[in-house]
């Protein structure tokens, strides 16, 4: 079941509609039988005989229909089995919830939790009605009149009243134009699904906005930003956000960076922003603006979801039980997914998560955060900590660190809690924020790729565990993807593949209220994915192109780079040698072949030592290491998995000339930023992903020459270093050698 991700058989929707009609007929028969067993006290004998005749005719008719159904019976599909299992588990869930005091308090009590507008555990459960209707608890039985009035005030006032700030009406706060509703209510045809599954994207427009060029698929919306500034943004959120902006000294919110990026997020298109200047590279303002925008978009999505469910609950509460079955067939009451969590934010480090969650709390309006539960625990676990790397540094390294010998961006990034294994659920109730909530009762999950991949691995090993809370994610945000690249990007691919799968259990969801496209397996086409990075690479591109299938389309940044060559302060001849590779798959082999046949013979015969090989990929590092072993070359290693004692020894050997060659990886430089002494000849086997590393490494050179190997498939890295214009010439020119001084 879990392996079926996107596709569904063509007859699935039709079968589901037939099954809904069958359930409806059974419900009608059940009520007729109940009425026949309990006749009205005022009924006469004649009427009783007449009713019995009618009942007998109906029984015959019902028997005929049942015989037809038996004759037309088809073997149930996996999809039908899921629906049947969800229905049969409802009674078990309800009974278990009554027996478990903690679960009752979390999911079904009459406190604020029950009135927070959730779409899973708090909502009505089929079969739980005291009237026996099997359609869920009326809202009046969930909370008192005071609670209901407060909920309606909290949600309805935002949508139905015109928002005014300083006496002036704002634009785009009306629910009728909400992109939230238009995105989730859109119906996909079979042709639409087939087109999305082909994963072919055509970028039709380019618009320059605020020093950036955005290009996208479908119709262009960025040219009309002034008329759709905040369509669908809850006025309570807008006023609070505007107040924070003005308190920080801002004067023109409509022209601000956060307003622009929020408008792009609010389009519900997949977004790839790959030129974001991060906070640790003196980009605090830009990074904070982008973070504010996607946090506000996430809050708006969560609160809109809650408002929709609360309104439907209020409507159903006014109806009698005998008409609810027909009403629930109305698509307007399909307002939820399989589980409650709707937003997933992937972050690389606990210190970064601390910044994001803290800002999330700040941007939540006061009426929704009168209490922040587990606040102190969060500050204790995420707000403090020391890098594990420092525990293994020798005395010399610790002394250097205290003298601030590390670059400022390294100190800003790794100066806090460097834990990369974390996961926290965040739940919004009517008046409070609950940190460390159960994942199934949370609205948002903030996790590191390693933390979440551990949960996925446990679910695969143990039958009593699962990650069904990922089944209904509607907004995915991957921030600081460039740092995650330095960790393990394969974790991100695995997580995204795990999203929006059919759940293995019901988890208390009212299946009569699940959106049709969830049941049809189309949830990946409704999930918005937002990827933020300081640079792009083929792995990020691959995820965006092949795993982000939003029916709204895509928006992607079109960047041009000036390069970082001016930051090389030494007079060094930088010689770029291009090798030929037919395909991207052959590039690694072609690079290795060029190195072994063209480059290594020169350094093997050279008497001079102090040769550093800078290698970006760990797999290339292992390959070159094995080759040097086979050639019995004199070399030492400085990689990300090298023990600290071996690193100190290798640096000494290399400086003293006892080892002729040193292999140094980009990840080792990222996590340690060592200053290597004694480099006489620098060979950049593969260009670094992070452009700031190029001048750092070249400026450590004590000789006068640097050799760089590249192919036309390295253009993304190359343009960040030499500039976009120069990179285009270098990959298309007939010449194969280029020199920069």
């Amino acid at each position: 079941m879990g392996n079926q991700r996107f596709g569904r058989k063509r007859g699935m929707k039709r079968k589901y509609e037939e099954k809904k009609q069958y359930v409806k007929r059974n419900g009608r028969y059940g009520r007729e039988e109940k009425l026949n067993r309990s006749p009205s006290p005022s009924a006469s004998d004649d009427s009783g005989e007449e009713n019995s005749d009618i009942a007998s005719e109906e029984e015959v008719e019902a028997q005929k229909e049942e015989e037809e159904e038996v004759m037309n019976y088809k073997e149930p599909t996996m999809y039908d089995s899921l629906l049947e299992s969800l229905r049969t588990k409802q009674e078990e869930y309800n009974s278990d919830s009554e027996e478990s005091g903690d679960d009752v308090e979390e999911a079904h009590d009459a406190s604020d939790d029950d009135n927070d507008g959730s779409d899973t555990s708090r909502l009505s459960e089929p079969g739980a009605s005291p009237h026996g209707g099997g359609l869920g608890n009326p809202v009046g039985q969930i909370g008192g009149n005071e609670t209901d009035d407060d909920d309606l005030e909290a949600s309805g006032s935002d949508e139905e009243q015109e928002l005014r700030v300083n006496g002036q009406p704002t634009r785009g706060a009306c629910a009728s134009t909400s992109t939230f509703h238009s995105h989730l209510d859109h119906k996909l045809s079979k042709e639409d699904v087939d087109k999305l599954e082909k994963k072919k994207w055509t970028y039709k427009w380019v618009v320059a906005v605020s020093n950036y060029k955005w290009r996208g698929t479908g119709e262009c919306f960025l040219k009309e930003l002034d008329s759709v500034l905040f369509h669908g943004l809850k006025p309570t959120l807008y006023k609070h956000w505007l107040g924070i902006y003005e308190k920080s000294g801002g004067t023109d919110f409509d022209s601000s960076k956060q307003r622009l990026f929020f408008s792009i997020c609010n389009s519900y298109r997949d977004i790839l922003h790959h030129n974001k200047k991060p906070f640790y590279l003196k980009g605090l303002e830009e990074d904070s603006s982008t973070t504010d925008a996607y946090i506000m978009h996430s809050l708006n999505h969560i609160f809109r979801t809650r408002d929709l469910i609360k309104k439907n609950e209020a409507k159903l509460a006014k109806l009698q039980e005998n008409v609810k079955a027909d009403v629930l067939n109305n698509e307007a009451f399909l307002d939820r997914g399989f589980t409650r969590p709707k937003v997933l934010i992937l972050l690389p480090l606990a210190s970064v998560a601390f910044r994001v969650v803290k800002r999330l709390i700040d941007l939540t309006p006061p009426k929704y955060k009168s209490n922040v539960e587990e606040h102190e625990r969060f500050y204790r676990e995420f707000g403090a900590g020391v890098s594990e790397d420092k525990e293994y540094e020798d005395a010399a390294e610790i002394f250097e660190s205290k003298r601030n010998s590390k670059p400022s961006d390294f100190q800003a990034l790794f100066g806090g809690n460097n834990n990369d294994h974390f996961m926290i659920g965040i739940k919004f109730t009517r008046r409070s924020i609950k940190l460390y909530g159960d994942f199934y009762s949370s609205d948002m999950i903030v996790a590191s790729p390693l933390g979440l991949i551990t949960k996925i691995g446990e679910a695969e090993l143990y039958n009593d565990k699962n990650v069904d809370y990922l089944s209904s994610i509607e907004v995915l945000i991957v921030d600081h993807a460039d740092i995650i690249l330095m960790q393990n990007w394969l974790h991100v691919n695995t997580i995204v593949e795990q999203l929006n799968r059919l759940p293995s259990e019901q988890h208390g969801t009212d299946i009569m209220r699940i959106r049709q496209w969830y049941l049809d397996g189309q949830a990946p086409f409704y999930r918005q994915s937002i990827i933020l990075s300081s640079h792009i690479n083929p792995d990020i591109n691959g995820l965006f192109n092949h795993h982000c299938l939003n029916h709204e389309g895509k928006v992607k940044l079109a960047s041009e780079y000036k390069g970082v060559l001016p930051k090389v302060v030494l007079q060094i001849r930088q010689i770029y040698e291009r090798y030929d590779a037919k395909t991207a798959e052959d590039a690694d082999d072609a690079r290795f072949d060029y190195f072994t046949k063209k480059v290594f013979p020169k350094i093997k015969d050279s008497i001079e030592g102090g040769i550093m090989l800078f290698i970006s990929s760990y797999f290339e590092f292992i390959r070159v290491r094995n080759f040097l072993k086979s050639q019995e070359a004199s070399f030492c290693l400085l990689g990300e998995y090298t023990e600290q004692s071996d690193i100190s020894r290798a640096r000494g050997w290399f400086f003293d000339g006892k080892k002729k060659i040193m292999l140094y990886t980009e990840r080792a430089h990222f996590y340690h930023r060592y200053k290597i002494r004694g480099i006489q000849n620098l060979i950049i086997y593969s260009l670094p992903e992070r452009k700031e590393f190029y001048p750092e490494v070249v400026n450590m050179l004590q000789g006068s020459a640097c050799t760089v190997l590249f192919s036309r498939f390295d253009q993304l890295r190359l343009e960040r270093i030499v500039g976009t214009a120069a990179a285009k010439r270098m990959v298309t020119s007939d010449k194969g050698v280029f020199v920069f001084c």
Side-chain angles (χ1 to χ4, degrees), residues 57-80:
E57 292 177 2
E58 291 180 348
E59 289 175 0
V60 172
E61 185 178 342
Q63 184 176 0
K64 289 181 179 179
E65 291 188 11
E66 291 177 357
E67 290 176 355
E68 290 179 1
E69 290 171 355
V70 171
M71 294 179 63
N72 295 328
Y73 172 78
K74 295 182 179 179
E75 186 70 22
T77 64
M78 181 182 301
Y79 173 81
D80 298 328

Short mmCIF file of all heavy atoms in Angstrom, two decimals, residues 57-80:
data_model
loop_
_atom_site.label_atom_id
_atom_site.label_comp_id
_atom_site.label_asym_id
_atom_site.label_seq_id
_atom_site.Cartn_x
_atom_site.Cartn_y
_atom_site.Cartn_z
N GLU A 57 -42.93 -5.15 0.88
CA GLU A 57 -42.55 -4.82 -0.49
C GLU A 57 -41.12 -4.26 -0.54
O GLU A 57 -40.34 -4.59 -1.43
CB GLU A 57 -43.54 -3.80 -1.07
CG GLU A 57 -44.94 -4.37 -1.29
CD GLU A 57 -45.90 -3.31 -1.79
OE1 GLU A 57 -45.44 -2.16 -1.99
OE2 GLU A 57 -47.08 -3.62 -1.99
N GLU A 58 -40.83 -3.42 0.43
CA GLU A 58 -39.48 -2.84 0.46
C GLU A 58 -38.43 -3.90 0.74
O GLU A 58 -37.32 -3.84 0.21
CB GLU A 58 -39.41 -1.73 1.49
CG GLU A 58 -40.22 -0.50 1.10
CD GLU A 58 -40.12 0.59 2.14
OE1 GLU A 58 -39.61 0.28 3.23
OE2 GLU A 58 -40.53 1.72 1.86
N GLU A 59 -38.80 -4.88 1.59
CA GLU A 59 -37.84 -5.95 1.86
C GLU A 59 -37.56 -6.76 0.61
O GLU A 59 -36.42 -7.15 0.34
CB GLU A 59 -38.39 -6.85 2.97
CG GLU A 59 -38.39 -6.18 4.34
CD GLU A 59 -39.05 -7.07 5.39
OE1 GLU A 59 -39.49 -8.17 5.01
OE2 GLU A 59 -39.10 -6.65 6.55
N VAL A 60 -38.62 -7.01 -0.18
CA VAL A 60 -38.43 -7.76 -1.43
C VAL A 60 -37.54 -6.96 -2.37
O VAL A 60 -36.61 -7.48 -3.00
CB VAL A 60 -39.79 -8.06 -2.08
CG1 VAL A 60 -39.59 -8.65 -3.48
CG2 VAL A 60 -40.60 -9.01 -1.21
N GLU A 61 -37.85 -5.65 -2.46
CA GLU A 61 -37.04 -4.81 -3.33
C GLU A 61 -35.58 -4.74 -2.88
O GLU A 61 -34.66 -4.80 -3.68
CB GLU A 61 -37.64 -3.40 -3.34
CG GLU A 61 -36.95 -2.46 -4.31
CD GLU A 61 -37.62 -1.10 -4.31
OE1 GLU A 61 -38.78 -1.01 -3.85
OE2 GLU A 61 -36.97 -0.15 -4.76
N ALA A 62 -35.42 -4.64 -1.55
CA ALA A 62 -34.06 -4.61 -1.02
C ALA A 62 -33.33 -5.91 -1.30
O ALA A 62 -32.14 -5.93 -1.60
CB ALA A 62 -34.10 -4.34 0.48
N GLN A 63 -34.09 -7.05 -1.18
CA GLN A 63 -33.46 -8.35 -1.43
C GLN A 63 -33.01 -8.45 -2.89
O GLN A 63 -31.94 -8.97 -3.19
CB GLN A 63 -34.45 -9.46 -1.10
CG GLN A 63 -33.85 -10.86 -1.23
CD GLN A 63 -34.83 -11.93 -0.79
OE1 GLN A 63 -35.95 -11.63 -0.38
NE2 GLN A 63 -34.41 -13.18 -0.86
N LYS A 64 -33.82 -7.90 -3.81
CA LYS A 64 -33.44 -7.92 -5.22
C LYS A 64 -32.15 -7.11 -5.45
O LYS A 64 -31.27 -7.53 -6.18
CB LYS A 64 -34.57 -7.35 -6.08
CG LYS A 64 -35.78 -8.26 -6.16
CD LYS A 64 -36.86 -7.64 -7.06
CE LYS A 64 -38.08 -8.55 -7.18
NZ LYS A 64 -39.12 -7.94 -8.03
N GLU A 65 -32.11 -5.94 -4.82
CA GLU A 65 -30.91 -5.11 -5.00
C GLU A 65 -29.68 -5.80 -4.44
O GLU A 65 -28.60 -5.73 -5.01
CB GLU A 65 -31.12 -3.76 -4.32
CG GLU A 65 -32.15 -2.90 -5.03
CD GLU A 65 -32.19 -1.51 -4.44
OE1 GLU A 65 -31.28 -1.20 -3.64
OE2 GLU A 65 -33.09 -0.73 -4.77
N GLU A 66 -29.86 -6.48 -3.28
CA GLU A 66 -28.73 -7.20 -2.71
C GLU A 66 -28.27 -8.32 -3.62
O GLU A 66 -27.08 -8.57 -3.77
CB GLU A 66 -29.10 -7.74 -1.34
CG GLU A 66 -29.28 -6.65 -0.29
CD GLU A 66 -29.73 -7.21 1.05
OE1 GLU A 66 -29.95 -8.45 1.10
OE2 GLU A 66 -29.87 -6.43 2.00
N GLU A 67 -29.26 -9.02 -4.27
CA GLU A 67 -28.87 -10.10 -5.19
C GLU A 67 -28.10 -9.53 -6.39
O GLU A 67 -27.13 -10.12 -6.86
CB GLU A 67 -30.14 -10.83 -5.67
CG GLU A 67 -30.80 -11.66 -4.57
CD GLU A 67 -32.10 -12.29 -5.05
OE1 GLU A 67 -32.51 -11.99 -6.19
OE2 GLU A 67 -32.69 -13.07 -4.27
N GLU A 68 -28.55 -8.34 -6.88
CA GLU A 68 -27.83 -7.73 -7.99
C GLU A 68 -26.41 -7.36 -7.59
O GLU A 68 -25.46 -7.53 -8.35
CB GLU A 68 -28.57 -6.47 -8.46
CG GLU A 68 -29.90 -6.79 -9.15
CD GLU A 68 -30.61 -5.50 -9.55
OE1 GLU A 68 -30.04 -4.43 -9.31
OE2 GLU A 68 -31.71 -5.59 -10.12
N GLU A 69 -26.27 -6.86 -6.36
CA GLU A 69 -24.94 -6.49 -5.89
C GLU A 69 -24.04 -7.71 -5.78
O GLU A 69 -22.85 -7.65 -6.06
CB GLU A 69 -25.04 -5.78 -4.55
CG GLU A 69 -25.67 -4.39 -4.67
CD GLU A 69 -25.97 -3.78 -3.31
OE1 GLU A 69 -25.77 -4.51 -2.32
OE2 GLU A 69 -26.39 -2.62 -3.26
N VAL A 70 -24.62 -8.84 -5.35
CA VAL A 70 -23.83 -10.06 -5.25
C VAL A 70 -23.37 -10.51 -6.62
O VAL A 70 -22.23 -10.92 -6.83
CB VAL A 70 -24.63 -11.17 -4.54
CG1 VAL A 70 -23.90 -12.50 -4.63
CG2 VAL A 70 -24.88 -10.79 -3.09
N MET A 71 -24.30 -10.42 -7.60
CA MET A 71 -23.95 -10.83 -8.96
C MET A 71 -22.89 -9.92 -9.57
O MET A 71 -22.04 -10.36 -10.34
CB MET A 71 -25.20 -10.84 -9.85
CG MET A 71 -26.23 -11.89 -9.45
SD MET A 71 -27.69 -11.82 -10.49
CE MET A 71 -27.00 -12.24 -12.06
N ASN A 72 -22.96 -8.63 -9.22
CA ASN A 72 -22.00 -7.68 -9.78
C ASN A 72 -20.76 -7.51 -8.92
O ASN A 72 -20.00 -6.58 -9.09
CB ASN A 72 -22.68 -6.31 -9.95
CG ASN A 72 -23.79 -6.36 -10.97
OD1 ASN A 72 -23.72 -7.13 -11.92
ND2 ASN A 72 -24.82 -5.53 -10.75
N TYR A 73 -20.59 -8.40 -7.96
CA TYR A 73 -19.47 -8.26 -7.03
C TYR A 73 -18.14 -8.41 -7.76
O TYR A 73 -17.97 -9.24 -8.64
CB TYR A 73 -19.57 -9.33 -5.94
CG TYR A 73 -18.36 -9.38 -5.05
CD1 TYR A 73 -18.19 -8.42 -4.05
CD2 TYR A 73 -17.39 -10.36 -5.22
CE1 TYR A 73 -17.08 -8.45 -3.23
CE2 TYR A 73 -16.28 -10.39 -4.40
CZ TYR A 73 -16.14 -9.44 -3.41
OH TYR A 73 -15.04 -9.47 -2.59
N LYS A 74 -17.21 -7.54 -7.39
CA LYS A 74 -15.85 -7.59 -7.93
C LYS A 74 -14.87 -7.72 -6.79
O LYS A 74 -15.12 -7.25 -5.70
CB LYS A 74 -15.55 -6.34 -8.74
CG LYS A 74 -16.40 -6.20 -9.99
CD LYS A 74 -16.01 -4.95 -10.78
CE LYS A 74 -16.84 -4.81 -12.04
NZ LYS A 74 -16.47 -3.60 -12.79
N GLU A 75 -13.78 -8.36 -7.07
CA GLU A 75 -12.75 -8.50 -6.05
C GLU A 75 -12.31 -7.13 -5.57
O GLU A 75 -11.97 -6.27 -6.36
CB GLU A 75 -11.55 -9.26 -6.63
CG GLU A 75 -10.49 -9.58 -5.60
CD GLU A 75 -10.94 -10.63 -4.61
OE1 GLU A 75 -11.87 -11.38 -4.95
OE2 GLU A 75 -10.35 -10.69 -3.51
N PRO A 76 -12.35 -6.85 -4.27
CA PRO A 76 -11.97 -5.52 -3.78
C PRO A 76 -10.51 -5.19 -4.08
O PRO A 76 -9.64 -6.05 -3.96
CB PRO A 76 -12.22 -5.61 -2.27
CG PRO A 76 -12.17 -7.07 -1.96
CD PRO A 76 -12.71 -7.77 -3.18
N THR A 77 -10.30 -3.95 -4.51
CA THR A 77 -8.93 -3.49 -4.77
C THR A 77 -8.27 -3.08 -3.48
O THR A 77 -8.89 -3.02 -2.42
CB THR A 77 -8.96 -2.31 -5.75
OG1 THR A 77 -9.63 -1.22 -5.11
CG2 THR A 77 -9.69 -2.66 -7.04
N MET A 78 -6.98 -2.76 -3.58
CA MET A 78 -6.25 -2.28 -2.41
C MET A 78 -6.89 -0.99 -1.88
O MET A 78 -6.98 -0.76 -0.67
CB MET A 78 -4.79 -2.02 -2.78
CG MET A 78 -3.91 -1.55 -1.63
SD MET A 78 -2.23 -1.21 -2.16
CE MET A 78 -1.74 -2.80 -2.82
N TYR A 79 -7.39 -0.16 -2.79
CA TYR A 79 -8.03 1.09 -2.41
C TYR A 79 -9.32 0.82 -1.62
O TYR A 79 -9.57 1.43 -0.58
CB TYR A 79 -8.31 1.87 -3.68
CG TYR A 79 -9.13 3.11 -3.51
CD1 TYR A 79 -8.54 4.29 -3.08
CD2 TYR A 79 -10.48 3.12 -3.81
CE1 TYR A 79 -9.27 5.44 -2.94
CE2 TYR A 79 -11.23 4.26 -3.66
CZ TYR A 79 -10.62 5.42 -3.24
OH TYR A 79 -11.36 6.56 -3.10
N ASP A 80 -10.14 -0.14 -2.15
CA ASP A 80 -11.37 -0.49 -1.44
C ASP A 80 -11.07 -1.08 -0.07
O ASP A 80 -11.78 -0.82 0.91
CB ASP A 80 -12.18 -1.49 -2.27
CG ASP A 80 -12.60 -0.90 -3.60
OD1 ASP A 80 -12.83 0.33 -3.64
OD2 ASP A 80 -12.68 -1.65 -4.59
#
